[in-house]
Amino acid sequence: MRILVVEDNITLLHSIKELLSSSFTVDVASDGEEGLFLALQNIYDAIILDVMLPGMDGFQIIQELRKENIKTPVLFLTAKDALEDRVRGLDYGADDYLVKPFQAPELEARLRALLRRSGSLTTKQTLCYKGIELHGREKEITIDGQPVKLTLKQYDLLEFFIQNKGSILTKEQIFDRIWGIDSDTSVGVVEVFTHHLRKKLEPYGYDKDIQTVRGIGYMLGD
């Protein structure tokens, strides 16, 4: 799962990244414009967002995201603890609010709760689609109860499809999510890995569930 952290305190930013990197892929930004640019890619499972940022504050960022119909869960992390600030953030579409200073276990717990509420995570970190089950902690997959061997990238690709079942994903979104915005490979790798993933699913009848949306990308669904 991929998390974006937008925080202008570099020491705190690196601390949060180190804390979460054992469980998630973490991208970071230290100013509002960069944070908004990354968030608009719509490839994140959750965003941890500071309010007081240089250039563009957290309130402006979440307004832009919701205006673009990007519903990524947002956890505001800020020193502003006045009631009106909390209410304002929640009214703009934030999902939770944590005031600095905070304890690391609380941040992790709130993030997990956020992901469970959004459907990205279960208490057992299991994702399901029909007879397919992905076991997040072990990075294992079973189909109709039978274990299936996938490469790590194939697993990540299937996970992203299941998390967004019924929604069209562009090739660029898939590439940025699975390979990373700074990857030195090209977006063409998405077609190659989708082809291989379909081959792995074909014996179980799920290959056709990954539909090609011509000229755009792919969608998982009947």
Side-chain angles (χ1 to χ4, degrees):
M1 304 185 82
R2 202 172 196 100
I3 308 296
L4 174 63
V5 183
V6 188
E7 166 63 59
D8 65 334
N9 183 318
I10 301 301
T11 301
L12 179 58
L13 182 65
H14 290 163
S15 295
I16 295 174
K17 181 175 182 179
E18 184 177 353
L19 173 69
L20 300 179
S21 290
S22 60
S23 302
F24 307 100
T25 298
V26 182
D27 292 338
V28 298
S30 58
D31 64 70
E33 283 83 359
E34 183 185 10
L36 177 61
F37 171 77
L38 292 174
L40 286 172
Q41 307 310 305
N42 200 17
I43 60 172
Y44 297 101
D45 296 288
I47 299 171
I48 298 174
L49 181 61
D50 189 20
V51 168
M52 301 302 292
L53 293 165
M56 172 181 282
D57 67 29
F59 294 138
Q60 292 172 299
I61 291 173
I62 195 169
Q63 284 179 292
E64 289 298 319
L65 294 179
R66 300 312 186 229
K67 191 187 302 180
E68 294 296 323
N69 202 32
I70 293 175
K71 299 176 182 178
T72 308
V74 171
L75 168 63
F76 268 133
L77 184 66
T78 176
K80 295 179 72 67
D81 59 352
L83 175 60
E84 57 267 29
D85 291 319
R86 296 200 297 271
V87 170
R88 184 181 175 193
L90 294 169
D91 282 346
Y92 283 158
D95 299 87
D96 202 356
Y97 210 109
L98 184 59
V99 176
K100 304 173 188 174
F102 60 90
Q103 297 294 320
E106 183 178 7
L107 174 62
E108 292 179 293
R110 285 179 178 269
L111 181 58
R112 288 194 300 269
L114 209 64
L115 293 168
R116 285 196 297 271
R117 289 200 298 271
S118 70
S120 296
L121 188 69
T122 68
T123 53
K124 296 182 179 179
Q125 294 192 14
T126 300
L127 278 175
C128 300
Y129 172 79
K130 297 184 178 179
I132 301 174
E133 289 190 357
L134 302 186
H135 307 282
R137 285 199 176 102
E138 301 83 8
K139 290 285 185 180
E140 293 176 351
I141 172 175
T142 58
I143 300 181
D144 299 327
Q146 300 299 313
V148 177
K149 189 170 183 179
L150 297 181
T151 67
L152 184 58
K153 280 288 189 284
Q154 288 169 351
Y155 179 96
D156 290 343
L157 182 58
L158 181 56
E159 179 184 59
F160 195 37
F161 281 139
I162 292 176
Q163 287 172 337
N164 295 276
K165 57 182 180 285
S167 299
I168 296 172
L169 295 171
T170 68
K171 292 177 183 177
E172 290 76 17
Q173 278 180 307
I174 297 168
F175 178 78
D176 290 347
R177 167 65 181 243
I178 306 301
W179 284 268
I181 293 172
D182 298 323
S183 174
D184 56 2
T185 188
S186 70
V187 74
V189 73
V190 173
E191 292 184 28
V192 175
F193 273 79
T194 302
H195 171 75
H196 290 317
L197 178 59
R198 281 171 167 159
K199 285 291 186 183
K200 291 285 184 73
L201 299 178
E202 188 174 9
Y204 307 93
Y206 288 107
D207 54 308
K208 292 182 174 59
D209 285 48
I210 302 177
Q211 302 175 41
T212 299
V213 182
R214 195 170 300 278
I216 300 175
Y218 303 95
M219 183 181 75
L220 179 68
D222 293 323

